[in-house]
Amino acid sequence: QVRLVQSGGGSERAGGSLSLSCVASRSTYSFDAIAWYRQAPGKERELVASLSSGDEIYYADSAKGRFTISSYAAKNTVYLQMNNLEPEDTAVYYCTASTRWDAYWGQGTQVTVSS
């Protein structure tokens, strides 16, 4: 069973920065894609950023220019650096790692941005 353990997040004022980490129990190279999702209160879960095994990177429009997804394979870790935060970024953030057959999710991390 694959485990994804998240850390980071917290509270920050608008314009500030926060980072999220997600440590996988096996090599990040073993996944076809790794991604960060978020879910705000009363809203559906949405894709924020993803990184594929072919090094293709996707950002939601809301994240472009402000968020950066990266991975450090030696530590089986995926990161989401969030800069210039906005109150609309307030949500629970989830990392996910997927293969052709399975998808695994982290436990979720709260990010709260105040104006």
Side-chain angles (χ1 to χ4, degrees):
Q1 182 69 21
V2 175
R3 292 188 65 214
L4 301 178
V5 179
Q6 297 179 219
S7 61
S11 298
E12 182 59 84
R13 291 188 174 183
S17 298
L18 288 171
S19 63
L20 302 176
S21 299
C22 175
V23 180
S25 57
R26 74 185 197 203
S27 172
T28 53
Y29 286 134
S30 68
F31 302 113
D32 294 322
I34 301 171
W36 289 95
Y37 282 75
R38 68 185 182 187
Q39 187 165 20
K43 294 187 177 182
E44 294 186 353
R45 192 171 296 187
E46 63 174 354
L47 176 63
V48 176
S50 66
L51 176 63
S52 73
S53 58
D55 291 332
E56 293 180 354
I57 297 178
Y58 165 86
Y59 292 105
D61 287 343
S62 58
K64 287 179 182 177
R66 301 188 300 123
F67 293 4
T68 302
I69 186 172
S70 62
S71 67
Y72 186 27
K75 292 188 175 182
N76 294 348
T77 302
V78 180
Y79 304 95
L80 185 68
Q81 178 64 39
M82 303 180 290
N83 298 328
N84 193 21
L85 287 163
E86 302 170 353
E88 293 74 22
D89 296 320
T90 296
V92 177
Y93 285 71
Y94 298 89
C95 68
T96 180
S98 60
T99 67
R100 185 181 306 176
W101 303 278
D102 294 293
Y104 308 95
W105 292 84
Q107 79 277 18
T109 302
Q110 178 68 47
V111 170
T112 302
V113 184
S114 59
S115 57

